[in-house]
Amino acid sequence: MERFRKTKEEFEEYLNEFAAFESVPLALREAILYSLVDGGKRIRPVIFLETLRAFCGDVCKNAKKFSVAIESLHIYTLIHDDLPSMDNDDFRRGKPSNHKKFGEGLAILAGDALLNFAYELILECIEETKCEKFMRAGRVFSQLLGSNGLIGGQSLDIENLSMTDEKLTYIFENKTIALLKVSALCGAILGGADEKEQELISKFIYHFGFAFQIKDDMIEFFSKKPPSFCDYIAHYGINKAKEDLEKHTKKALNALEKLKQDTSFLKELTEFAQARDH
Amino acid sequence: MERFRKTKEEFEEYLNEFAAFESVPLALREAILYSLVDGGKRIRPVIFLETLRAFCGDVCKNAKKFSVAIESLHIYTLIHDDLPSMDNDDFRRGKPSNHKKFGEGLAILAGDALLNFAYELILECIEETKCEKFMRAGRVFSQLLGSNGLIGGQSLDIENLSMTDEKLTYIFENKTIALLKVSALCGAILGGADEKEQELISKFIYHFGFAFQIKDDMIEFFSKKPPSFCDYIAHYGINKAKEDLEKHTKKALNALEKLKQDTSFLKELTEFAQARDH
């Protein structure tokens, strides 16, 4: 997707501009930048920027900072999720995970620092603009990511007790979808979407996120990797997974159809996410 | 100190009111509340509330929430600092530390959740009041606690390489004093202190915090506990420690003298902190 590539490049510029971590103690700075500046897919900030653009056309300086806050939060979750006491992953994107490279103590602090940094940026946006949209977006951000959202979802994921339909849905809705939802919904809020439009964007990203995670699990399944604890196919089987991928993709596209704004990018992304093989 | 006890009790009420963690997954909720509701000294929220009161007399509902944000942040630091890859402490306040009780994974998440919760509360304060004082206080909070502040200080503390004067001062100023400074300075900001007054409060709490930590290290020294990596007496010897405790206490009191507000509580607390034996 050419437009995805372009927006991703744009985001990498914002990252360079707003996430320098100057005058931070050297070892901590290295651990932070090792995971933050390493060419991830940047799906979340791209969704944020393109949703914002669908509603208002223009990305102001503070919205750029907000996109960096979203990616910082995402990288924090990756660093902490990889820890031995969580998913215990030694590799991430083909290189040693943060704690394998820097040790557990520094990896925990690098994650903490990125979580805190997201709020440094958001509170800077709020104080500089005094704009109610940033206040709303900041609050939505904090609520969807806390103990009632993403962190709560992760706490169920590491329990590793018996899996139920309800628990799997809870983990999908909170751990997986939370940050995608933050990205799209905060983009819509900052773009000036009204309540009805915010609801449609929430509906879109819910089904997009569900489809996205099912597809991830299918790719793992066909590559014959052992399934993780919270795995759609291990729980429901491949046939239901295929059906549900189809179903959620359709519902995501339906929600976008109801918006009068130009959501061609989000539509294309939804179709691309369903068809991808990696 | 009778007034300390009273304000502490007042704070415990705010904690009950604003930190229920309802509908949070059970195991995570238990891990959070185990450390949050366990009768710590509550020095930081008490300093916050009493500094606020010195400037404006009244504590509004959102300021109460802010006091809970400060303590949540403090408890997050305790949980993460106790982890095996950090200070590796099995006990905290006479009971098993969070990771000994709940396991490392859940302890890390409980810390993350409390860090995030502090910002949930602050962003709630901002959105509900739309008040510039809360915006300023929120930003100060995030800056003093991030990779350029508290988390940066902790990263140097766990390095455990050779200690220098500069490094010890950096760790004291960032790790130890940062959250005390947040407490006093945000109290002053929300109380409506002007810039000159904010500077005096910053000066007061800087010297108060320095004296407080030296005194802590002296108490450990006389109880014959092995010194931690960043220990004032191990580095400078007991005589200089005593002199500096005196010096910082005086400077803290001098800064308060220059304020026209009633700072009798903060003065009493400073003298109490110097004289205490535990």
Side-chain angles (χ1 to χ4, degrees):
Chain A
M1 281 182 70
E2 177 58 18
R3 189 155 153 208
F4 190 98
R5 200 189 52 73
K6 248 181 113 174
T7 309
K8 180 176 179 298
E9 271 179 26
E10 181 193 325
F11 170 73
E12 300 290 344
E13 277 174 36
Y14 306 157
L15 194 62
N16 283 336
E17 188 174 349
F18 298 113
F21 293 95
E22 279 158 10
S23 66
V24 168
L26 191 63
L28 180 62
R29 182 169 186 265
E30 277 182 6
I32 291 170
L33 294 180
Y34 177 79
S35 293
L36 188 60
V37 189
D38 83 332
K41 292 204 260 338
R42 316 299 193 196
I43 292 172
R44 290 155 191 83
V46 168
I47 288 177
F48 167 79
L49 290 166
E50 290 296 341
T51 310
L52 173 55
R53 219 165 244 146
F55 284 95
C56 89
D58 189 43
V59 176
C60 70
K61 187 182 168 191
N62 280 290
K64 294 174 187 174
K65 279 186 215 158
F66 206 101
S67 74
V68 175
I70 287 173
E71 185 68 1
S72 295
L73 205 294
H74 174 56
I75 303 294
Y76 135 72
T77 67
L78 300 184
I79 296 174
H80 280 198
D81 283 7
D82 283 345
L83 288 166
S85 55
M86 306 267 191
D87 298 347
N88 194 20
D89 275 320
D90 289 353
F91 289 92
R92 163 76 59 187
R93 295 176 186 145
K95 61 180 197 178
S97 47
N98 200 291
H99 65 274
K100 290 304 276 186
K101 174 93 178 170
F102 297 99
E104 274 185 62
L106 213 50
I108 293 170
L109 289 175
D112 293 353
L114 283 163
L115 171 54
N116 195 79
F117 183 61
Y119 290 106
E120 289 178 58
L121 288 171
I122 288 172
L123 288 156
E124 198 178 310
C125 292
I126 290 174
E127 206 197 10
E128 283 190 4
T129 63
K130 318 248 188 277
C131 163
E132 291 191 19
K133 288 180 206 159
F134 275 104
M135 298 179 205
R136 183 89 276 265
R139 187 158 172 208
V140 163
F141 185 103
S142 74
Q143 286 173 333
L144 289 174
L145 301 175
S147 47
N148 264 319
L150 184 138
I151 296 171
Q154 173 69 355
S155 79
L156 278 189
D157 200 11
I158 65 166
E159 269 190 6
N160 249 323
L161 300 173
S162 64
M163 182 55 83
T164 61
D165 290 2
E166 291 72 30
K167 198 189 279 186
L168 187 120
T169 303
Y170 187 93
I171 296 174
F172 264 54
E173 286 182 1
N174 288 280
K175 181 175 171 178
T176 313
I177 301 178
L179 198 43
L180 288 166
K181 186 166 176 186
V182 161
S183 310
L185 187 54
C186 291
I189 291 168
L190 294 180
D194 63 26
E195 274 188 34
K196 180 78 195 142
E197 290 162 341
Q198 288 178 34
E199 253 173 56
L200 285 168
I201 284 292
S202 292
K203 202 174 169 196
F204 151 68
I205 201 70
Y206 177 83
H207 293 294
F208 175 89
F210 230 105
F212 192 84
Q213 186 60 42
I214 293 172
K215 184 72 191 191
D216 262 3
D217 290 352
M218 281 170 66
I219 292 167
E220 301 261 301
F221 175 78
F222 287 117
S223 71
K224 313 233 184 283
K225 280 192 195 153
S228 65
F229 169 59
C230 179
D231 182 285
Y232 209 77
I233 295 151
H235 190 70
Y236 285 117
I238 185 70
N239 288 331
K240 180 163 163 57
K242 280 181 183 169
E243 271 170 38
D244 288 350
L245 171 62
E246 192 86 19
K247 189 185 79 184
H248 285 295
T249 302
K250 259 192 198 148
K251 285 190 175 174
L253 293 171
N254 278 345
L256 291 179
E257 281 303 328
K258 290 184 186 138
L259 285 162
K260 64 179 185 297
Q261 286 76 10
D262 173 9
T263 57
S264 54
F265 173 84
L266 298 176
K267 279 176 199 150
E268 208 187 324
L269 184 67
T270 306
E271 282 155 0
F272 179 82
Q274 187 194 15
R276 77 204 152 103
D277 55 12
H278 63 278
Chain B
M1 284 180 67
E2 177 58 18
R3 187 153 153 210
F4 190 98
R5 200 188 52 72
K6 249 182 111 172
T7 309
K8 180 178 180 297
E9 272 178 25
E10 181 193 326
F11 171 73
E12 300 289 346
E13 277 174 36
Y14 305 157
L15 193 61
N16 283 336
E17 189 174 348
F18 299 113
F21 293 95
E22 280 158 9
S23 66
V24 168
L26 192 64
L28 179 63
R29 181 168 186 266
E30 277 181 8
I32 291 170
L33 294 179
Y34 177 80
S35 293
L36 188 60
V37 189
D38 83 334
K41 293 203 265 326
R42 315 297 193 194
I43 292 174
R44 289 156 193 83
V46 168
I47 288 179
F48 167 80
L49 291 165
E50 290 295 342
T51 310
L52 173 56
R53 219 166 244 146
F55 283 95
C56 90
D58 187 43
V59 176
C60 70
K61 186 182 169 191
N62 281 290
K64 294 173 186 174
K65 279 185 215 159
F66 206 101
S67 73
V68 175
I70 287 172
E71 186 68 0
S72 295
L73 206 294
H74 175 57
I75 303 294
Y76 135 72
T77 66
L78 300 183
I79 296 174
H80 280 198
D81 283 7
D82 283 345
L83 289 167
S85 55
M86 306 265 191
D87 298 348
N88 195 19
D89 276 321
D90 289 353
F91 289 91
R92 163 76 57 186
R93 295 175 188 146
K95 61 180 196 178
S97 46
N98 200 291
H99 65 275
K100 291 305 277 187
K101 176 91 177 168
F102 298 97
E104 275 185 62
L106 213 49
I108 292 170
L109 289 176
D112 292 355
L114 283 163
L115 171 54
N116 194 79
F117 183 61
Y119 290 106
E120 289 178 57
L121 289 170
I122 288 172
L123 287 157
E124 198 177 311
C125 292
I126 290 174
E127 206 198 10
E128 283 190 3
T129 63
K130 318 244 188 286
C131 163
E132 291 191 17
K133 287 179 205 158
F134 276 104
M135 297 179 205
R136 181 91 276 269
R139 187 160 172 202
V140 163
F141 185 102
S142 73
Q143 286 172 333
L144 288 173
L145 301 174
S147 47
N148 265 319
L150 185 137
I151 296 171
Q154 173 69 354
S155 79
L156 278 188
D157 201 10
I158 64 165
E159 268 190 5
N160 249 323
L161 300 173
S162 63
M163 182 55 84
T164 61
D165 290 4
E166 291 73 28
K167 199 188 281 187
L168 187 120
T169 303
Y170 187 93
I171 296 173
F172 265 52
E173 286 182 1
N174 288 280
K175 182 176 168 176
T176 315
I177 301 178
L179 199 43
L180 289 166
K181 185 164 176 188
V182 161
S183 310
L185 187 54
C186 290
I189 291 169
L190 295 180
D194 64 25
E195 273 187 35
K196 179 83 195 139
E197 290 162 342
Q198 288 179 34
E199 253 173 56
L200 285 167
I201 283 291
S202 291
K203 202 174 168 194
F204 150 69
I205 200 71
Y206 176 83
H207 293 295
F208 174 88
F210 231 105
F212 193 85
Q213 186 59 41
I214 293 172
K215 185 72 193 189
D216 262 3
D217 290 350
M218 281 170 67
I219 291 166
E220 301 262 301
F221 175 79
F222 287 117
S223 72
K224 312 236 185 281
K225 280 195 194 149
S228 65
F229 168 60
C230 179
D231 183 284
Y232 208 78
I233 294 149
H235 190 70
Y236 286 117
I238 185 71
N239 288 331
K240 179 163 164 55
K242 280 181 183 167
E243 271 170 37
D244 288 351
L245 171 61
E246 192 86 20
K247 189 186 79 182
H248 284 295
T249 302
K250 261 194 197 145
K251 286 191 174 174
L253 293 171
N254 277 346
L256 292 178
E257 281 303 328
K258 291 187 184 134
L259 285 162
K260 62 180 186 298
Q261 285 77 11
D262 173 10
T263 56
S264 55
F265 174 84
L266 298 175
K267 279 176 199 147
E268 208 186 322
L269 184 68
T270 306
E271 282 153 1
F272 180 82
Q274 186 194 15
R276 77 204 150 102
D277 54 12
H278 62 278

